[in-house]
Amino acid sequence: MKRKMNDSTVGYLFILPMVIVMIIIAIPLIQSVWMSFSDYYLLSGSRTHAFIGLENFRSVIGQTHFWKMTRVTAYYTLYSVAGKMVLGLLVALLLNSKIKGKGFVRSLIVIPWAMPGIVVAMLFTLALDPAYGMLNYLLEKTHLITQGIPFLSDVDLALPVVVTIGIWKNFPFTALMLLASLQGISPELYEAGRIDGANTWQQFRFITWPMILPVWLIMLILQIVGTIKEFDLIYLVTRGGPDLATNVIGLDIYRNAFKFFKLGVASAEGMMLMVICFVFAIVYYRYELRNG
Amino acid sequence: MKRVKILNKALLYALVVIVALVLFLPLVMLLSYALRDNSEIITLDVRLFPKTFTTSAFLDVFSHELGGANFWVWFRNSCLTSGITALLATYIAALGGYGFTRYRFRGRRLFFFFIFFTQIMPWMVLLVPYYSLLVKTKMLNSLFSLGFSYLIINIPVSAWLFIGFFKNQPASLEEAARMDGCTILGAFHRIVLPLAIPSLSAIALFAFITGWGDFLFSSVIITSAKNLTLPLALQGFKGEHYILWSQIMAMASIMTIPIVALFLYLQKHMVNLMAGSIKE
């Protein structure tokens, strides 16, 4: 049988396995939306899961720690993203300059990225220990402090510390993408800049920055949506503590769902998080379409 | 003028060294903690390098037992759940990504938007209903349920990377193969995939580490010692009143070193892929 299939049929056949996967994703997603409006409590004997309207959202906002969680999430996202974007840019610029050994350092950038989150969490937990940790030891030896700092159990320090760990783990993504984009800038542009008498700063300001800005902005959005839902690193280092000081929304959902089994409330929180991610996603999508 | 130049150069190199240390030191620390005795970690005599090197922590990792299971069981569990699903996800995503870039069909934009959307979505949102489904169907604590979740979350990401990749790939070779009487699927398997092997491996590696380092899904789905994956088993060295740090670090090294090596090996392709996927 030599029937010629038309292009769109072939296309459909190629994407068919993925479409099935998408349906499998869509079902729990829809269910999650439904759960956020229902009385879904895993431990309750009743199996009715009655529709309760916005009750779950009301209880999310009514949680005594809701505003604290919002503040912590905002703080975490803001500083973490800022760190990833600034550090990523600086490192990319540094490794794009004409120096020996940059190839070697460039290859090191993947290390934080490749290390499993739990390994990073364990390592930093030990390194930051007030008694046995290497960091405190180093600070004491250099007489910067006289007593070990309990980085992870101090209410004021824990959040900045997990922000720093998160930056270390994820800035390589930004750095590598910016580096790739820096390498795409034609050297002739700098040549022309030098002829016109531009100094290093002016070359950056008027040649480099405009050329890498599109990629930087895309990375900014990707890092925002990636950071706002971060979970495992923070959870494994502090479990949200001390006194909920590092309790970002991802941890709160996890606790509500899998510790207290309040799946309805957890879904409601999940919906809030998803809407925020979605807003940034739309911005990104629009931006991509305009450029592509 | 010349002195300023030398000073600038020196500053630049100093910065490069600092960056290198920041990137590299944690890996050194990991190994150095793994290669010393536990009593040497829980002491006020802190050192970057161990006083006496010992591989006893590694031996402990291999002989450690928990609920009738040991390292090799957990290692197998991790390989099964992350490995098989990474291969499957890569293949399915390659088909989808290829179909999307080479063919025009109705609903193409919707398809693309869905791939895009699933990457933005927090996985937590899927995990909650998935968990309740597993509870209802008594499928909790199964490696199949865990692997299935990795498969599902990996496919959209991999497809996204494949779309970026195939867009920059000319279709001429497949077309030539088709002229020679190759079927469409034959050309895909014999021409397209073999040519894509470096990028294919990078995408498979991305998919692999999703499961390999996962804590979120596994901590929710797995509940018994014999089904633990490595990230969960790592916590088995932590008791109520003690933490066996060097054993943890030894096991963490075993989990980390091969992945870092693979990342270094495939770095160029990974970066090209990611870069290709963010600028269409």
Side-chain angles (χ1 to χ4, degrees):
Chain A
M1 188 183 82
K2 255 231 168 232
R3 192 167 53 97
K4 207 162 156 27
M5 283 190 291
N6 66 14
D7 262 15
S8 69
T9 316
V10 180
Y12 283 132
L13 287 177
F14 266 113
I15 68 162
L16 183 66
M18 272 198 66
V19 171
I20 296 171
V21 168
M22 288 171 166
I23 293 169
I24 297 174
I25 293 180
I27 293 168
L29 192 64
I30 294 165
Q31 206 187 346
S32 200
V33 176
W34 157 243
M35 278 164 89
S36 66
F37 293 107
S38 77
D39 178 18
Y40 211 113
Y41 181 55
L42 208 60
L43 295 182
S44 73
S46 81
R47 293 234 166 236
T48 50
H49 311 314
F51 179 81
I52 51 167
L54 291 173
E55 200 49 53
N56 285 326
F57 292 88
R58 214 167 290 150
S59 24
V60 170
I61 297 171
Q63 295 181 106
T64 43
H65 63 272
F66 177 76
W67 293 111
K68 184 168 184 179
M69 176 192 84
T70 311
R71 256 197 330 273
V72 169
T73 308
Y75 180 105
Y76 183 82
T77 310
L78 185 71
Y79 284 95
S80 186
V81 170
K84 287 165 192 169
M85 295 314 294
V86 172
L87 197 64
L89 176 65
L90 292 178
V91 169
L93 287 173
L94 186 66
L95 296 182
N96 194 48
S97 58
K98 291 194 201 80
I99 43 168
K100 288 192 195 77
K102 65 180 173 191
F104 173 68
V105 183
R106 243 181 232 173
S107 58
L108 295 182
I109 300 186
V110 292
I111 291 174
W113 194 13
M115 277 171 95
I118 183 148
V119 172
V120 175
M122 291 288 186
L123 192 59
F124 277 94
T125 307
L126 178 53
L128 297 173
D129 188 279
Y132 319 121
M134 286 187 185
L135 186 63
N136 273 310
Y137 175 75
L138 204 74
L139 292 176
E140 273 175 62
K141 269 282 125 101
T142 49
H143 299 291
L144 284 170
I145 55 172
T146 51
Q147 226 183 357
I149 301 172
F151 287 105
L152 297 171
S153 45
D154 186 293
V155 184
D156 297 319
L157 280 178
L159 187 54
V161 169
V162 291
V163 165
T164 312
I165 300 173
I167 292 173
W168 180 81
K169 177 89 176 76
N170 286 315
F171 89 90
F173 184 31
T174 308
L176 285 168
M177 292 305 102
L178 289 177
L179 201 51
S181 132
L182 281 170
Q183 282 162 348
I185 303 176
S186 134
E188 284 150 33
L189 279 175
Y190 292 105
E191 201 73 47
R194 267 195 298 276
I195 290 167
D196 290 344
N199 62 26
T200 314
W201 165 249
Q202 286 165 330
Q203 281 181 30
F204 171 76
R205 175 70 189 78
F206 296 108
I207 303 172
T208 313
W209 183 240
M211 292 295 281
I212 61 170
L213 186 62
V215 172
W216 194 85
L217 286 174
I218 288 172
M219 288 311 303
L220 176 67
I221 297 172
L222 289 181
Q223 289 283 20
I224 292 172
V225 292
T227 304
I228 198 167
K229 60 189 181 200
E230 246 164 49
F231 163 75
D232 55 351
L233 212 51
I234 311 171
Y235 181 77
L236 290 165
V237 173
T238 64
R239 311 266 147 168
D243 191 24
L244 301 181
T246 55
N247 181 51
V248 298
I249 186 164
L251 269 70
D252 213 63
I253 299 174
Y254 186 85
R255 211 186 15 241
N256 272 331
F258 309 117
K259 288 270 184 298
F260 306 140
F261 304 107
K262 291 191 272 188
L263 299 192
V265 176
S267 294
E269 262 180 310
M271 286 304 122
M272 292 173 169
L273 178 59
M274 195 157 79
V275 167
I276 298 169
C277 290
F278 201 65
V279 169
F280 285 104
I282 296 292
V283 175
Y284 174 71
Y285 199 72
R286 280 301 199 22
Y287 185 78
E288 281 270 284
L289 280 188
R290 209 182 59 205
N291 281 282
Chain B
M1 191 62 197
K2 195 158 182 213
R3 195 179 293 160
V4 172
K5 231 176 188 166
I6 292 172
L7 211 68
N8 269 341
K9 230 19 211 226
L11 189 71
L12 217 56
Y13 276 102
L15 283 174
V16 171
V17 170
I18 292 172
V19 169
L21 281 179
V22 165
L23 292 166
F24 195 57
L25 213 52
L27 198 62
V28 174
M29 276 164 61
L30 178 67
L31 275 172
S32 122
Y33 275 133
L35 288 169
R36 69 181 89 179
D37 193 75
N38 215 13
S39 62
E40 220 189 283
I41 296 180
I42 310 296
T43 166
L44 295 180
D45 182 19
V46 183
R47 289 155 188 273
L48 177 56
F49 295 108
K51 218 183 324 182
T52 40
F53 279 90
T54 164
T55 53
S56 69
F58 284 92
L59 299 177
D60 288 347
V61 168
F62 293 122
S63 61
H64 173 68
E65 274 199 23
L66 196 78
N70 61 24
F71 175 81
W72 296 110
V73 174
W74 303 320
F75 180 73
R76 190 205 61 197
N77 293 346
S78 266
C79 288
L80 283 177
T81 49
S82 328
I84 296 178
T85 55
L87 293 178
L88 256 176
T90 309
Y91 180 66
I92 294 175
L95 283 173
Y98 183 77
F100 174 83
T101 27
R102 291 290 190 267
Y103 297 95
R104 300 282 167 271
F105 48 85
R106 274 189 65 180
R108 203 166 164 271
R109 273 179 84 117
L110 184 70
F111 180 74
F112 183 72
F113 187 77
F114 202 91
I115 295 178
F116 170 73
F117 173 68
T118 41
Q119 293 187 73
I120 298 297
M121 187 170 72
W123 295 122
M124 204 82 87
V125 173
L126 283 194
L127 182 55
V128 174
Y130 188 57
Y131 173 74
S132 100
L133 177 77
L134 293 179
V135 170
K136 274 192 214 140
T137 54
K138 304 216 165 14
M139 293 268 286
L140 213 57
N141 191 25
S142 115
L143 290 172
F144 177 81
S145 307
L146 182 62
F148 189 73
S149 67
Y150 295 156
L151 182 70
I152 296 300
I153 64 174
N154 273 322
I155 285 174
V157 185
S158 307
W160 180 260
L161 293 170
F162 270 119
I163 289 173
F165 172 73
F166 285 129
K167 258 190 186 154
N168 301 319
Q169 234 24 28
S172 47
L173 269 170
E174 301 119 76
E175 276 156 14
R178 298 265 293 120
M179 294 290 176
D180 293 345
C182 219
T183 61
I184 293 176
L185 213 55
F188 178 74
H189 285 133
R190 262 173 263 143
I191 311 284
V192 178
L193 289 187
L195 278 175
I197 278 179
S199 301
L200 204 76
S201 348
I203 291 173
L205 179 58
F206 277 130
F208 181 74
I209 60 160
T210 311
W212 189 252
D214 167 71
F215 178 80
L216 174 61
F217 284 84
S218 53
S219 70
V220 170
I221 294 172
I222 301 300
T223 53
S224 80
K226 71 174 197 340
N227 282 341
L228 296 182
T229 52
L230 290 175
L232 297 174
L234 203 54
Q235 306 227 319
F237 290 110
K238 245 159 116 179
E240 189 99 31
H241 302 294
Y242 66 93
I243 302 182
L244 300 174
W245 278 118
S246 39
Q247 282 81 349
I248 289 179
M249 295 301 165
M251 193 155 158
S253 309
I254 300 171
M255 280 175 68
T256 307
I257 305 295
I259 305 297
V260 171
L262 279 172
F263 262 68
L264 290 172
Y265 180 64
L266 290 171
Q267 180 170 32
K268 203 182 86 202
H269 302 291
M270 299 171 82
V271 172
N272 285 345
L273 271 173
M274 311 283 292
S277 74
I278 60 168
K279 45 176 190 210
E280 303 291 84

